Amino acid sequence: MGAGDHKVKVGFLKSEEAWTLFKKNVGEMIINSDPEIQVHAGTMVKKCGGLPLALMVIGSAMASKTTVQEWKHAASSMLELRTDKIEGMEVELLSSLKFSYDSLPDDTIKECFLYCCLYPEDDEIDNKDLVDYWVGEGFFDDEYGDEIDKARGEGHSIIGRLMAAHLLERSDYGGSYVRMHDVIRDMALWISKDKFLVRAGLGLTEAPEPRKWSGNKRISLMENDIKNLPSLISDCPNLSTLFLHAIETCLVRSQVDFSNL
């Protein structure tokens, strides 16, 4: 809720409160610019079900949308998503939040955002390390190539943009760290479930079953106590990233020949 050092647990908001919070994050000038925009905004607020985080995230995503056509498309997109349940979390909630992910301006920023869910829940993520991993993954190669300093600058800019969209938040450790809200991380894991295998920070002593490895692009087993890895790790043709026991043991395909592991 942007309460600074004063953390307050906020429940579901009543309709009027939800509307006020949504307008604050969008900007009243946009909301009041056209009666039809107000209608579509009301549809989106109702879809959020009074959840403050959803209202803030989606409101921020709509802050740059100024035309009726954009608002109509956004409201329709939210209504068309499924509403069954996944692992106890209503898809209605996750799909509402996913709109903010869909609204990110390009695939690079989306990939950077999803990368953050490889870290354990409630982890304090070092901005510098995170940006270095993004650069190592080649996320900025098309634009900057070997210009590492410029690529790092773009990475830090993306962190700022994700924070402005409420998809990352400032850590208690200070300005050089960020974290993901639990619900936002759930949404990221849901989006990436067919490409990521994330079992970070669960206190595991054994690796996940080998059949779960193949087909994944990124695997995170960091902050566990696993002694042995499946021998068929070399049979994962799509694997580009492997987080092991600690952050420092992150491997990316560009740095390591996985066939020798």
Side-chain angles (χ1 to χ4, degrees):
M1 290 293 293
D5 294 332
H6 303 284
K7 295 186 178 181
V8 180
K9 184 176 178 61
V10 180
F12 291 96
L13 301 179
K14 296 179 180 179
S15 57
E16 184 175 344
E17 296 169 329
W19 177 245
T20 299
L21 180 59
F22 187 75
K23 283 198 301 181
K24 178 180 178 180
N25 281 274
V26 175
E28 292 207 23
M29 183 177 295
I30 294 176
I31 294 290
N32 296 332
S33 65
D34 191 291
E36 195 170 344
I37 286 181
Q38 292 187 23
V39 171
H40 297 309
T43 299
M44 298 177 76
V45 168
K46 185 177 180 180
K47 180 72 173 176
C48 290
L51 182 71
L53 182 62
L55 292 160
M56 292 173 64
V57 168
I58 295 171
S60 295
M62 295 304 295
S64 61
K65 314 298 183 185
T66 59
T67 68
V68 171
Q69 290 78 11
E70 289 175 308
W71 279 84
K72 180 178 180 180
H73 175 73
S76 297
S77 297
M78 289 182 66
L79 288 174
E80 289 170 2
L81 293 168
R82 297 169 58 204
T83 57
D84 54 333
K85 293 184 178 181
I86 293 180
E87 298 179 356
M89 173 68 71
E90 289 192 9
V91 174
E92 183 170 3
L93 167 59
L94 296 180
S95 61
S96 295
L97 293 174
K98 183 178 180 292
F99 175 77
S100 60
Y101 166 81
D102 293 333
S103 296
L104 292 173
D106 58 58
D107 290 340
T108 297
I109 298 180
K110 291 178 180 178
E111 198 160 16
C112 288
F113 165 69
L114 294 179
Y115 200 89
C116 297
C117 76
L118 295 171
Y119 289 80
E121 184 174 310
D122 296 325
D123 201 35
E124 311 292 343
I125 304 173
D126 186 293
N127 293 357
K128 182 180 180 299
D129 288 342
L130 179 61
V131 168
D132 282 345
Y133 291 146
W134 289 346
V135 172
E137 294 280 0
F139 289 170
F140 314 122
D141 284 356
D142 289 345
E143 186 170 358
Y144 297 108
D146 294 331
E147 298 180 275
I148 302 300
D149 288 341
K150 289 185 178 180
R152 285 175 174 155
E154 176 65 13
H156 284 285
S157 174
I158 286 176
I159 288 177
R161 294 163 76 176
L162 291 174
M163 291 179 67
H166 298 288
L167 294 175
L168 290 178
E169 55 189 47
R170 190 180 302 278
S171 163
D172 293 338
Y173 283 12
S176 60
Y177 289 81
V178 293
R179 63 185 297 275
M180 295 186 89
H181 188 284
D182 293 351
V183 178
I184 295 294
R185 184 173 182 269
D186 286 339
M187 183 261 288
L189 290 170
W190 176 52
I191 293 171
S192 59
K193 64 182 182 298
D194 295 327
K195 295 182 180 179
F196 291 10
L197 175 64
V198 182
R199 299 293 186 271
L202 299 181
L204 302 179
T205 57
E206 296 183 1
E209 298 177 16
R211 63 183 177 82
K212 295 183 178 180
W213 287 65
S214 61
N216 288 289
K217 183 177 182 180
R218 298 195 166 92
I219 297 175
S220 177
L221 303 175
M222 63 192 302
E223 297 189 16
N224 286 298
D225 193 26
I226 298 171
K227 305 300 183 183
N228 297 294
L229 295 178
S231 59
L232 60 79
I233 186 173
S234 59
D235 296 327
C236 301
N238 300 322
L239 185 63
S240 66
T241 308
L242 174 63
F243 277 95
L244 296 175
H245 178 70
I247 296 175
E248 289 74 19
T249 57
C250 170
L251 307 176
V252 298
R253 185 173 289 280
S254 61
Q255 301 168 332
V256 176
D257 181 359
F258 281 91
S259 64
N260 294 325
L261 292 177

